[in-house]
Amino acid sequence: MNFENTLEFATKLDNADHLKEFRNEFYIPLLNGKESIYFTGNSLGLQPKNVQDAVLAELEDWANFGVKGHVHSRHPWLSYHERFPEKLAPIAGALPAEIAVMNQLTTNLHLMLTTFYRPSGKRNKILFEAKAFPSDEYVLTSQIKLAGLDPEEVLIEIKPSEGAHTISKESVIDAILTEGESLALVMLGGVNYYNGQVFDMEAITKAAHEVGAYCGFDLAHAAGNIKLNLHQWQVDFACWCTYKYLNSGPGGVGGVFIHEKHATNKELPRLAGWWGTNKERRFKMDKDFDAIPTAEGWQLSNAPVLSMAAHFASLEIFERAGFDRILAKSSALTGYLIYLLKEILKNGGKSAFEVITPTNDEEHGCQISLLMKENGKHCFEMLEKNGVIADWREPDVIRIAPVPLYNSYRDVFTFCKILEHAIHIKA
Ligand SMILES: *Cc1c(COP(=O)(O)O)cnc(C)c1O
């Protein structure tokens, strides 16, 4: 598309936007008494207006039915989690039987590692990316220690090459092939939380399988943000949170994907709980665990209905908007942002910042990360003073994420004007 650097043009794009009405379905936080430019949907997605009624309905049913709500509430709590796999299948690119909604992200990563990190003999290494989210790193190092091994020896960290900000696909694949038979698991973020880079999950999975390793992804920054085809890519497992791009509320319930070829295998070792056992026999309370032959077989506990109610309400919006249409707008909206940032760089902004997110379409989602070269903190404060809610990562990165369901082209345009102004006013 040929973009133009004018407010008229941004307004024209908004008027032509098929998803523009969806902004009204969210509460937009105020800053200084005015609707903010909310660019932190990659950290906590906004509240959809339908969430309150959905949660209230469960509270009412609890008040009215007490324990009988497990069976008699509008959406019986006994099977509440079963509402999700169909709704998430298009977002994850998965079969419903490969999806379970349960726990939270870090817990789920531990559950998946327990199944998919089974070091034996020489095959004991895990490959992951440098600057992964700290929680992921804690999961990996603690799992390695639990297995009686030394993270210094078996955790292989892959870094960007000298002077680069992102990790090339080739270097990931090279590292996998180099480690070869010593590799037990490859685990990366599908979208890096820091620089916004999207990894080629299909190619990486294929390389991992070639050397006989499992391959899993943390999709915290990918779920609801980019096109996923987990089933077809043969990914072994993936986990995500739902409070970022999936707008399901702070600390919301998490999601997992376990490929059909594993999910159906009742013999796979796992940490088990009563919600993962054969439903016919669950309430017989017998002592033998009989895994459900789907991703549900990894569930531990009965459904956290209140947070699930919020998640379900949010997913209804994704369904109504259509995930493909959301992705198409995302590509145009972030494309416009990249175009405007390049205009600022052309007009004397080069000394102020650098875009460290890859700018080709396949390698980014909504999020763009700016490495601030001078007065970064000051610029960030100027953004906030002028109504922008963005994210500051020490020491020098501003992350911004225009989200297609509730951000507008006008938001993007106005943000860039504020940024341009801020970088020309010295601290
Ligand atoms: C957001 C995020 C987390 C947060 O984990 P929780 O268990 O949901 O608190 C973990 N890993 C990554 C990569 C994230 O982006």
Side-chain angles (χ1 to χ4, degrees):
M1 198 188 302
N2 286 326
F3 292 126
E4 291 169 30
N5 188 358
T6 64
L7 181 60
E8 291 69 46
F9 186 76
T11 308
K12 206 163 88 184
L13 291 178
D14 279 329
N15 291 338
D17 172 11
H18 295 300
L19 298 181
K20 63 173 179 278
E21 305 298 340
F22 281 92
R23 180 180 172 89
N24 298 326
E25 302 207 18
F26 290 85
Y27 291 106
I28 312 286
L30 302 181
L31 202 58
N32 318 323
K34 276 191 1 208
E35 258 188 15
S36 61
I37 295 178
Y38 191 82
F39 276 174
T40 44
N42 56 343
S43 188
L44 185 69
L46 290 182
Q47 183 182 147
K49 290 180 181 167
N50 62 352
V51 161
Q52 293 184 15
D53 280 349
V55 174
L56 275 175
E58 300 306 335
L59 289 174
E60 266 170 29
D61 285 356
W62 178 22
N64 291 332
F65 297 114
V67 72
K68 290 184 185 296
H70 280 305
V71 177
H72 295 303
S73 59
R74 277 164 276 191
H75 309 290
W77 305 325
L78 266 184
S79 53
Y80 205 85
H81 54 283
E82 293 171 12
R83 309 173 81 197
F84 292 93
E86 288 283 349
K87 284 258 184 304
L88 283 162
I91 291 174
L95 308 175
E98 294 173 319
I99 296 174
V101 167
M102 59 191 204
N103 315 310
Q104 287 174 276
L105 173 55
T106 304
T107 309
N108 287 333
L109 285 172
H110 274 298
L111 294 180
M112 292 302 106
L113 266 282
T114 308
T115 295
F116 292 100
Y117 179 55
R118 314 289 306 167
S120 93
K122 262 179 51 195
R123 192 182 285 286
N124 60 14
K125 290 185 181 167
I126 302 179
L127 186 94
F128 87 120
E129 87 238 60
K131 287 205 179 172
F133 198 87
S135 199
D136 299 35
E137 187 157 351
Y138 305 151
V139 166
L140 298 178
T141 50
S142 59
Q143 286 280 340
I144 289 168
K145 288 181 187 167
L146 265 178
L149 297 168
D150 179 0
E152 293 284 333
E153 281 167 24
V154 303
L155 192 55
I156 312 291
E157 190 177 295
I158 173 158
K159 297 190 175 78
S161 52
E162 197 58 35
H165 296 291
T166 52
I167 301 169
S168 70
K169 169 167 101 183
E170 291 69 28
S171 63
V172 178
I173 291 174
D174 276 357
I176 292 172
L177 299 178
T178 306
E179 295 302 333
E181 286 181 2
S182 69
L183 208 55
L185 174 68
V186 175
M187 201 188 97
L188 303 172
V191 177
N192 181 276
Y193 84 99
Y194 188 74
N195 61 29
Q197 170 185 19
V198 175
F199 282 108
D200 183 337
M201 290 179 248
E202 183 173 24
I204 291 169
T205 304
K206 190 157 168 273
H209 289 171
E210 263 166 37
V211 302
Y214 283 130
C215 191
F217 293 95
D218 181 328
L219 300 179
H221 283 263
N225 175 23
I226 61 167
K227 179 93 182 157
L228 295 168
N229 253 319
L230 300 176
H231 176 79
Q232 199 195 316
W233 296 340
Q234 299 287 329
V235 169
D236 295 297
F237 71 88
C239 302
W240 56 88
C241 51
T242 63
Y243 50 81
K244 289 173 179 163
Y245 293 103
L246 292 173
N247 309 323
S248 299
V253 65
V256 301
F257 162 88
I258 301 164
H259 198 280
E260 185 183 31
K261 66 186 172 209
H262 306 303
T264 49
N265 181 356
K266 294 162 65 150
E267 304 310 317
L268 274 183
R270 70 194 73 193
L271 291 176
W274 74 320
W275 234 246
T277 201
N278 184 332
K279 293 173 201 183
E280 315 281 296
R281 291 172 39 199
R282 182 177 291 151
F283 288 94
K284 296 209 167 73
M285 302 296 195
D286 55 8
K287 65 183 172 58
D288 294 322
F289 178 78
D290 174 21
I292 300 171
T294 70
E296 279 190 38
W298 275 259
Q299 289 173 159
L300 299 178
S301 299
N302 70 99
V305 165
L306 298 182
S307 75
M308 282 186 169
H311 186 30
F312 194 83
S314 172
L315 290 177
E316 284 185 319
I317 295 182
F318 275 80
E319 192 170 67
R320 264 192 290 121
F323 196 45
D324 284 336
R325 290 205 304 170
I326 293 173
L327 293 174
K329 176 173 171 190
S330 177
S331 162
L333 192 63
T334 304
Y336 191 47
L337 173 61
I338 292 169
Y339 159 80
L340 291 174
L341 290 170
K342 285 184 176 163
E343 290 286 294
I344 301 177
L345 291 171
K346 261 197 269 172
N347 299 328
K350 266 211 162 57
S351 60
F353 71 91
E354 184 185 343
V355 175
I356 58 169
T357 307
T359 53
N360 58 318
D361 240 18
E362 316 77 69
E363 280 193 278
H364 68 78
C366 300
Q367 178 188 326
I368 298 296
S369 299
L370 309 178
L371 176 71
M372 304 308 289
K373 296 183 183 168
E374 52 183 34
N375 301 321
K377 201 66 200 266
H378 164 75
C379 282
F380 181 73
E381 282 158 9
M382 288 283 286
L383 288 171
E384 188 150 308
K385 255 192 212 137
N386 287 282
V388 177
I389 302 183
D391 175 80
W392 174 256
R393 289 284 122 174
E394 293 294 348
D396 51 11
V397 165
I398 296 177
R399 301 186 304 167
I400 42 179
V403 169
L405 274 174
Y406 48 76
N407 284 124
S408 63
Y409 293 90
R410 202 188 162 103
D411 282 345
V412 167
F413 180 84
T414 311
F415 163 80
C416 285
K417 289 298 136 193
I418 298 168
L419 177 70
E420 190 164 23
H421 185 67
I423 64 176
H424 290 303
I425 295 181
K426 302 288 179 228

